[in-house]
Amino acid sequence: MENISIRPARSGELAAVAALRWEWLVENGGENLGEHEEFVRHFVDWARDNAGSHRCMVVVRDDDGVVIGMAWLAVVQRVPTPRASGDLGLERVTVHSSRRAIPAYARCGFQESPRLLQARVAGA
């Protein structure tokens, strides 16, 4: 891929990131989402308030600076382990991906894990 940059989101780009999140929710059957503008305001406030634990990365077109993709890194403190490494002291990185993005993550070394389980919370 040429003419794109992947980097941490800038504060002024958070509304564009919120719009991408809104589009994803709509595409995946989101109902009763409320007002778009209210969501964007809430999202931007949340992103700023949680910047210490949730780091937003964006994909930006270099020619016009438009945010065309995003990913979030939620750094959750865990029980220490000798296997943790890297600048953030991470043992592993997991992703919650769209179906279309799975091949891209697989090319970067991500694999399915039979040990990571999830439960849907009512209303989520």
Side-chain angles (χ1 to χ4, degrees):
M1 295 199 145
E2 297 181 25
N3 303 319
I4 62 167
S5 297
I6 300 172
R7 58 170 170 71
R10 298 175 181 147
S11 183
E13 295 168 328
L14 292 174
V17 173
L20 289 174
R21 176 69 172 157
W22 179 272
E23 289 175 26
W24 183 87
L25 292 166
V26 170
E27 289 174 6
N28 288 281
E31 297 178 14
N32 303 318
L33 297 175
E35 294 295 320
H36 182 264
E37 294 79 19
E38 182 181 331
F39 173 79
V40 170
R41 251 187 327 275
H42 174 71
F43 185 99
V44 169
D45 289 344
W46 179 91
R48 288 183 178 141
D49 291 346
N50 291 279
S53 61
H54 290 71
R55 298 161 191 200
C56 182
M57 301 296 292
V58 291
V59 180
V60 180
R61 275 196 314 244
D62 291 334
D63 57 346
D64 59 8
V66 172
V67 175
I68 58 173
M70 55 114 172
W72 288 86
L73 176 62
V75 180
V76 179
Q77 295 296 319
R78 305 220 7 149
V79 175
T81 175
R83 294 181 305 224
S85 63
D87 294 339
L88 298 175
L90 303 176
E91 182 179 342
R92 74 173 149 262
V93 176
T94 60
V95 295
H96 179 181
S97 175
S98 68
R99 291 184 192 277
R100 290 184 356 205
I102 291 173
Y105 284 111
R107 286 191 300 272
C108 292
F110 285 83
Q111 304 173 24
E112 290 185 31
S113 172
R115 295 183 299 148
L116 295 175
L117 307 174
Q118 69 179 16
R120 294 247 180 243
V121 178

